[in-house]
Amino acid sequence: MNDELDHDPTRVLQAQAVQLGDHDWRMVMEAAIALARVGQAGIAAVLWGLTHPNARVRRGCAGFLDHHATDACFAQLQWMALHDPAAAVRRVAVHSASCQQCKPSPLSGDLVGLLVQVALEDPNRHVREKAIGGLGSQPQDARAIAALEQILRTETAPRLRSQAHHALKQQDPTYKARVDAQAREREIAAARARKEQPLLRHSPTEP
C-alpha cells in the first residue's frame, strides 16, 4: 500500500475488502481476519465491496457476510441475491442471507420471501438449488410450502425436484407424513416380493 492509502483508514479497509476476492486463499483469510477485527468499520468496507466491478470481489465480500452479517446488511444482500449479474455472486448472497447458524445473531429480514423469489425465478439452476435448500431450514411458512409444491409440479430437473421434496418434508408435516407412509408401503411390498421370490423359484412346475 502507498503512503496516502496507509494514512486513510477507510481506504485501507476497502483495500482489504478487495483482497477478499484474491485468488490466494491465504490473502483472503488475512483480509477476513483484519476486517472482522475492526467490527462495524470492517462490515462497512465489505458492504462497499459488494458494489465492486469485479465479480470475484463481490463474491468474496458476500461470503464474508455469511459469518458477520447484521440486519444492516440484509437489504444489500437481498439486492445482490436477486439482481447481481454473476450467478456465482447471487448464489453466495443467497447463502449468506439465509444461513443463520454462523452469524452472531439471526437476521430479521424476510428470508422466506427472498428465497421463494429466487427459487421460482432465478435463471441459474445452481442459484435456485441454493434457495430451495434454504427454504427447508426456515420456520414453517405458507409461502414456502406453496412455492415448493409448485416446483414439484413443474420442475423437470431431478436435483431440483429432490431438493424441493426434502425441503417440503421439513416445511409441511402433512406432506412428510404422507410420503413417509408411502415409502414404508413400498418397503413392505419390496420385502414381501423378496420373500416370495424363492418360493416361486422352488414351486413345482406343471407337467
Side-chain angles (χ1 to χ4, degrees), residues 40 100-101 195:
Q40 189 56 47
Q100 305 298 324
Q101 294 91 328
K195 185 176 180 180

Side-chain angles (χ1 to χ4, degrees), residues 5-191:
L5 182 56
D6 286 341
H7 288 86
D8 186 338
T10 298
R11 292 183 64 187
V12 170
L13 292 174
Q14 290 176 349
Q16 290 169 335
V18 171
Q19 195 174 317
L20 293 173
D22 200 280
H23 290 272
D24 186 339
W25 67 268
R26 289 166 296 188
M27 298 292 287
V28 173
M29 290 301 298
E30 178 184 295
I33 291 169
L35 289 162
R37 187 181 297 128
V38 295
Q40 189 56 47
I43 292 176
V46 170
L47 292 176
W48 169 87
L50 293 179
T51 66
H52 196 277
N54 187 316
R56 283 189 63 89
V57 173
R58 299 197 306 275
R59 184 178 67 181
C61 289
F64 175 88
L65 294 175
D66 179 24
H67 287 258
H68 303 285
T70 64
D71 281 343
C73 306
F74 181 75
Q76 202 159 340
L77 279 173
Q78 181 181 41
W79 191 95
M80 291 186 73
L82 294 172
H83 304 296
D84 195 280
V89 177
R90 296 198 305 276
R91 185 175 185 275
V92 174
V94 167
H95 178 80
S96 293
S98 59
C99 180
Q100 305 298 324
Q101 294 91 328
C102 300
K103 294 178 176 60
S105 59
L107 303 185
S108 60
D110 183 12
L111 299 178
V112 170
L114 169 62
L115 292 172
V116 164
Q117 187 171 352
V118 175
L120 294 177
E121 299 177 7
D122 196 277
N124 183 277
R125 179 175 64 82
H126 298 291
V127 180
R128 293 185 63 214
E129 182 180 337
K130 176 61 69 175
I132 292 168
L135 285 171
S137 64
Q138 300 303 313
Q140 189 173 341
D141 190 298
R143 295 171 299 168
I145 294 172
L148 293 167
E149 288 175 340
Q150 178 179 334
I151 291 166
L152 284 175
R153 287 195 306 270
T154 61
E155 182 56 57
T156 57
R159 188 170 179 85
L160 294 184
R161 288 182 55 82
S162 176
Q163 285 278 4
H165 164 73
H166 290 293
L168 188 55
K169 284 182 69 174
Q170 293 171 290
Q171 274 283 334
D172 186 354
T174 302
Y175 177 81
K176 182 181 188 303
R178 183 171 72 250
V179 297
D180 286 352
Q182 292 169 347
R184 285 193 297 271
E185 290 173 3
R186 288 193 297 270
E187 290 172 2
I188 292 170

